[in-house]
C-alpha cells in the first residue's frame, strides 16, 4: 500500500452526535425514525413522546468528541470520515443565514482533529435532511430542494475549506431508490409508481451534486470532492444467458449513478432503463450542461454485501425496502451476519476492480464493517474476534486489488470505529465499532467507552500499513 494511504474510521452525524435539540439544531428526517429504515414511512412525520429514539442520543459524540478523537489518535487512524448535520447549519433548510452555533461546533471538531493529526473526510449529506423540507415540499422530489442544499453546501465549503481537504456530496446516493425516505425524504407508500418519485428525486440530487462539485472546483481547486454509492454489485443466478442479462440490469442500478458522477452524463442505457420503470424525468433546460461540469475527483463507495440477480424474481409489487437492498435470492456459497447480510470478501475485490476498470479514477472505500451483538464482559473487555476475522478477510482482498490488480485506492475507513446507531435498525446494539459505547437501545448505560480487541488489531494494521493482518 502507498505510504499516503488513508487508513481510518467512518461515522455519520445523525447516527452518533445525539444532542438533537441542542446548539440551535433543527429536527431532521433521522430524528423521527424510531426503528431505522425499517420504519421508512413514519406516521405523520412527528415525534411520539412515548417512544425512545436512539438517534436523539446517538453515542453522544456532540459532548464527547474530544474523548473520541483522542481514542482515534491512540488507534493510529489517519483519516476520520464524518458528516455535517444539515439541520445544525440550517435548522429548517430555508433560512437565509446559517446557525453560527452549529458552524462553531464543527470548527471545534476540525480543530481537535488537526491537533491530533487526523485528516477529516466530510460527507455533506448523510441520510439526514431538515424535516421541514419534507413537510413543505415532499423532500428531494421537489426541485426547490436543490437550491436549499446548494446554499447549505456552499456555506460549509466556504467556512471549512482551509480545514477539510476531502469532501463527499452525498452518502450512498443510489439508495434513494432503495430506502427513499432515509436517503431522500420521499414518502411514497401506496403510490402506483414509486419509481417516478425515486428517480426524479435522484435527478435533483445529481444536479445538486454537480452544482456543488463545480463550485468547489472553481472556488477551491485544491480540494478533492467525490460522491458515493453503496457498492451492491450482483452475481448471475446461473450460467443461463438470461440470468447474465439480469445481472447486467441489476448492476446498472448502481452504475446509473456512478456514470453521472464520473462521466458527467447519464449512461447510454438511461432512456430504456427509465422507460422500463415507467419513469419520465422532468429536466430543466441546462441540466445536462450542469451534470457535465460536476465530475468527481474520486469515487467513494461502501461495501457490505453482494446480491444475486434478479433482486425481485417473482415481480412482487410489494417488495420491502430490506428486500430491495439485499435481494430475495440467497447465495449458498456465503455465510451471513447476525442480521442476514452475506459476508463476501472476494466480492469486495470484484467491486474494486469493476469500478476501477470502468472509470480509472481513484477509489475511496468509505464504509466496510460488521454489525454484531458485542458483549461487555465483567472485566470491561470485549472479545470481537469475529469482527477481526471479517475485517482481515476484506482488507486482504483490498490489498490484492491494489497490489496485484493495480486498482488505485486512496483510503479505507472501516464502519464505524466507535459504536453508533445503525441506520437500518436504529439499534446501537447492532455494533460496528472498535470502541464499545455503554448504551443500550433504550438509552440506558453510562455512555463510557471501552476498547474492543479489534481496537489493538486495527492499530497494528495501520502501523504496518496493512502488512500485519
Amino acid at each position: 500500500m502507498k505510504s499516503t494511504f488513508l487508513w481510518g474510521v467512518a461515522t455519520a452525524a445523525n447516527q452518533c452526535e445525539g444532542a438533537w435539540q441542542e446548539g440551535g439544531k433543527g429536527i431532521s428526517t433521522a430524528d423521527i425514525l424510531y426503528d431505522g429504515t425499517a420504519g421508512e414511512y413514519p406516521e405523520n412525520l412527528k415525534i411520539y413522546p412515548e417512544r425512545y429514539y436512539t438517534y436523539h442520543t446517538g453515542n453522544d459524540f456532540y459532548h464527547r468528541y474530544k474523548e473520541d478523537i483522542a481514542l482515534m489518535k491512540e488507534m493510529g487512524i489517519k483519516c476520520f470520515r464524518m458528516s455535517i448535520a444539515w439541520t445544525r447549519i440550517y435548522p429548517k433548510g430555508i433560512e437565509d443565514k446559517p446557525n453560527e452555533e452549529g458552524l462553531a461546533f464543527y470548527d471545534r471538531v476540525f480543530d481537535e482533529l488537526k491537533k491530533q493529526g487526523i485528516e477529516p473526510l466530510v460527507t455533506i449529506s448523510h441520510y439526514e435532511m431538515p424535516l421541514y423540507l419534507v413537510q413543505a415540499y415532499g423532500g428531494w422530489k421537489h426541485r426547490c430542494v436543490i437550491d436549499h442544499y446548494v446554499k447549505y453546501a456552499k456555506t460549509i465549503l466556504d467556512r471549512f475549506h482551509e480545514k477539510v481537504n476531502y469532501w463527499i456530496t452525498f452518502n450512498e446516493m443510489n439508495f434513494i431508490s432503495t430506502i427513499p425516505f432515509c436517503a431522500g425524504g420521499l414518502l411514497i407508500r401506496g403510490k402506483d409508481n414509486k419509481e417516478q418519485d425515486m428517480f426524479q428525486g435522484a435527478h435533483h440530487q445529481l444536479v445538486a451534486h454537480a452544482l456543488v462539485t463545480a463550485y468547489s472546483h472553481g472556488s477551491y481547486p485544491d480540494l478533492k470532492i467525490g460522491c458515493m454509492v453503496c457498492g451492491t454489485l450482483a452475481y448471475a443466478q446461473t450460467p443461463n444467458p438470461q440470468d447474465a442479462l439480469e445481472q447486467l440490469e441489476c448492476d446498472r442500478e448502481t452504475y446509473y449513478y456512478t456514470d453521472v458522477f464520473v462521466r458527467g452524463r447519464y449512461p447510454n442505457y438511461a432512456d430504456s432503463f427509465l422507460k422500463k420503470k415507467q419513469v419520465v424525468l422532468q429536466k430543466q433546460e441546462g441540466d445536462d450542461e450542469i451534470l457535465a461540469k460536476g465530475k468527481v475527483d474520486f469515487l467513494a463507495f461502501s461495501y457490505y454485501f453482494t446480491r444475486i440477480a434478479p433482486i425481485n424474481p417473482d415481480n412482487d409489487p410489494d417488495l420491502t425496502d430490506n428486500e430491495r437492498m439485499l435481494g430475495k435470492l440467497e447465495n449458498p456459497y456465503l455465510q451471513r451476519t447476525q442480521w442476514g447480510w452475506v459476508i463476501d470478501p472476494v466480492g469486495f475485490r470484484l467491486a474494486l476492480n469493476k469500478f476501477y476498470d470502468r472509470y480509472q479514477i481513484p477509489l475511496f472505500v468509505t464504509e466496510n464493517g460488521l454489525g454484531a451483538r458485542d458483549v461487555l464482559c465483567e472485566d470491561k473487555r470485549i472479545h470481537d474476534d469475529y469482527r477481526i476475522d471479517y475485517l482481515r478477510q476484506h482488507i486482504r482482498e483490498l490489498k490484492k486489488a491494489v497490489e496485484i490488480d493495480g486498482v488505485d485506492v486512496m483510503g479505507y475507513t472501516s464502519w464505524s470505529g466507535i459504536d453508533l446507531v445503525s441506520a437500518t435498525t436504529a439499534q446501537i446494539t447492532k455494533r460496528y465499532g472498535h470502541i464499545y459505547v455503554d448504551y443500550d437501545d433504550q438509552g440506558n448505560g453510562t455512555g463510557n467507552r471501552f476498547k474492543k480487541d479489534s481496537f489493538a488489531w486495527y492499530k497494528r494494521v495501520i502501523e504496518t500499513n496493512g502488512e500485519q493482518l
Side-chain angles (χ1 to χ4, degrees), residues 133-150:
L133 296 181
V134 178
Q135 295 169 324
Y137 306 112
W140 274 100
K141 71 179 181 182
H142 199 295
R143 191 174 178 100
C144 75
V145 177
I146 294 174
D147 294 333
H148 296 303
Y149 172 86
V150 171

Side-chain angles (χ1 to χ4, degrees), residues 106-108 110-111 119-120 159-165:
Y106 293 108
D107 266 322
R108 296 192 294 272
F110 296 139
D111 289 346
E119 186 83 47
R159 176 74 168 233
F160 303 125
H161 67 274
E162 293 182 345
K163 298 182 179 184
V164 179
N165 296 312

Side-chain angles (χ1 to χ4, degrees), residues 2 22 59 70 74 86 138 190 215 250 263 292 310 317 380 413 425:
K2 295 178 182 177
E22 295 184 43
N59 64 22
E74 183 182 345
W86 188 344
Y215 177 78
C250 183
R263 296 172 175 168
K380 304 303 181 184
T413 53
T425 66

Side-chain angles (χ1 to χ4, degrees), residues 27-100:
I27 300 176
S28 77
T29 48
D31 290 329
I32 66 171
L33 289 178
Y34 66 93
D35 54 359
T37 57
E40 267 293 294
Y41 306 98
E43 308 98 309
N44 302 321
L45 297 178
K46 62 182 284 187
I47 292 167
Y48 291 81
E50 67 274 16
R51 291 175 176 161
Y52 176 73
Y53 294 79
T54 49
Y55 285 111
H56 294 182
T57 303
N59 64 22
D60 200 26
F61 178 81
Y62 186 85
H63 298 110
R64 306 180 74 149
Y65 68 91
K66 288 187 177 181
E67 176 186 358
D68 292 344
I69 291 171
L71 283 166
M72 294 174 199
K73 174 65 174 178
E74 183 182 345
M75 196 170 12
I77 75 162
K78 299 179 180 181
C79 178
F80 177 42
R81 183 199 168 205
M82 54 174 282
S83 70
I84 290 176
W86 188 344
T87 48
R88 288 203 188 280
I89 311 305
Y90 289 98
K92 294 176 70 174
I94 61 170
E95 295 85 353
D96 293 328
K97 294 183 179 180
N99 171 34
E100 177 58 32

Side-chain angles (χ1 to χ4, degrees), residues 279-465:
V279 172
V280 179
L281 283 189
Q282 302 298 316
K283 291 185 180 181
Q284 286 192 5
E285 186 177 352
D287 280 1
D288 290 337
E289 289 75 17
I290 291 171
L291 295 179
K293 296 177 181 178
K295 298 177 185 178
V296 294
D297 301 307
F298 63 92
L299 175 61
F301 74 98
S302 61
Y303 180 83
Y304 293 100
F305 49 79
T306 48
R307 308 187 289 185
I308 300 291
I311 300 304
N312 186 10
D314 302 320
N315 295 314
D316 181 358
D318 297 315
L319 202 65
T320 68
D321 292 330
N322 195 58
E323 289 169 336
R324 290 177 66 90
M325 181 173 68
L326 301 176
K328 295 190 74 171
L329 298 175
E330 293 194 9
N331 190 327
Y333 299 98
L334 299 175
Q335 294 181 328
R336 291 178 174 266
T337 72
Q338 293 171 330
W339 273 267
W341 295 14
V342 296
I343 300 173
D344 187 3
V346 175
F348 185 29
R349 182 180 179 183
L350 288 168
L352 287 159
N353 275 276
K354 287 181 178 181
F355 283 131
Y356 194 66
D357 285 352
R358 191 175 182 96
Y359 301 120
Q360 289 89 48
I361 69 166
L363 305 178
F364 207 128
V365 181
T366 46
E367 292 183 30
N368 174 236
L370 175 69
R373 296 183 180 93
D374 299 332
V375 176
L376 180 64
C377 299
E378 290 186 8
D379 60 0
K380 304 303 181 184
R381 297 185 65 184
I382 304 95
H383 304 296
D384 59 340
D385 291 346
Y386 40 85
R387 180 170 292 107
I388 293 172
D389 183 60
Y390 175 97
L391 293 171
R392 178 187 290 121
Q393 291 184 59
H394 284 77
I395 293 173
R396 185 177 290 135
E397 296 302 322
L398 166 66
K399 285 170 58 63
K400 290 176 184 177
V402 172
E403 297 170 1
I404 298 174
D405 305 332
V407 178
D408 183 2
V409 184
M410 299 166 59
Y412 170 93
T413 53
S414 69
W415 186 268
S416 59
I418 184 168
D419 290 345
L420 41 62
V421 177
S422 167
T424 52
T425 66
Q427 295 172 287
I428 199 167
T429 54
K430 184 185 180 184
R431 301 181 184 275
Y432 282 91
H434 308 301
I435 300 165
Y436 184 97
V437 176
D438 183 27
Y439 283 132
D440 66 16
D441 294 332
Q442 296 303 315
N444 302 307
T446 64
N448 290 340
R449 277 63 166 145
F450 302 96
K451 290 176 271 189
K452 305 177 188 179
D453 289 352
S454 63
F455 183 102
W457 174 83
Y458 196 42
K459 180 178 181 179
R460 185 173 67 252
V461 170
I462 297 170
E463 287 174 344
T464 63
N465 200 22

